[in-house]
């Protein structure tokens, strides 16, 4: 059995989240949380929060221990874009696109296959 957690509309683009997600993919949960604590980026704390949520889901629903869990898959999908306009010279406008992402974490016990 697997446990899953999703953080929607994080306010950070997928391009900024992907390098941090790639660091923890396939690792043990405890090891990945320690690794994320030492990364100075604020995105690392958002990813750690989602991983902790997935761990608590596994502990409550599946009665697993956090020391036995491994991150099976972790990915970031593109969320809705916020589109705005900024006034420019001579009555023209420039488009501002703020990108969002959804972070999904799937964890399972150490010996399980997904």
């Amino acid at each position: 059995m697997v446990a899953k957690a999703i953080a929607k509309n994080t306010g950070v683009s997928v391009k900024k989240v992907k390098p941090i997600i790639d660091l923890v993919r396939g690792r043990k949960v405890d090891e990945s949380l320690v690794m994320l604590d030492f990364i100075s980026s604020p995105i690392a704390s958002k990813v750690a929060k989602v991983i902790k949520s997935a761990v608590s889901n596994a502990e409550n629903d599946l009665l697993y221990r956090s020391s036995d869990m491994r991150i099976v898959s972790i990915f970031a999908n593109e969320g809705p874009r916020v589109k705005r306009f900024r006034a420019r010279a001579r009555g023209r406008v420039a488009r501002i696109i703020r990108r969002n992402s959804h972070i999904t974490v799937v964890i399972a016990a150490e010996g399980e296959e997904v």
Side-chain angles (χ1 to χ4, degrees):
M1 296 290 290
V2 296
K4 186 176 177 181
I6 302 172
K8 293 192 173 194
N9 298 327
T10 57
V12 182
S13 69
V14 176
K15 184 178 179 181
K16 293 178 183 177
V17 175
K18 270 192 160 189
I20 294 174
I21 284 178
D22 290 339
L23 290 174
V24 298
R25 185 177 288 122
R27 296 186 185 267
K28 287 183 130 183
V29 170
D30 297 335
E31 182 183 337
S32 63
L33 288 174
V34 169
M35 187 181 295
L36 290 171
D37 283 340
F38 287 103
I39 298 174
S40 61
S41 172
I43 301 162
S45 63
K46 290 187 181 195
V47 173
K49 189 174 180 181
V50 180
I51 292 173
K52 288 176 186 175
S53 177
V55 168
S56 67
N57 288 342
E59 288 175 347
N60 290 330
D61 298 341
L62 306 175
L63 303 176
Y64 288 160
R65 287 190 308 232
S66 64
S67 61
D68 298 339
M69 290 185 259
R70 177 175 293 281
I71 297 174
V72 176
S73 72
I74 181 169
F75 53 90
N77 292 333
E78 190 172 328
R81 297 175 184 169
V82 179
K83 297 173 183 172
R84 298 283 184 262
F85 292 103
R86 172 173 285 157
R88 306 308 277 179
R90 298 183 185 177
R92 297 179 183 165
V93 295
R95 186 174 233 182
I96 298 171
I97 300 173
R98 292 188 179 161
R99 299 176 188 271
N100 274 324
S101 62
H102 306 312
I103 302 171
T104 305
V105 177
V106 179
I107 60 174
E110 187 71 39
E112 286 190 17
E113 294 288 325
V114 177

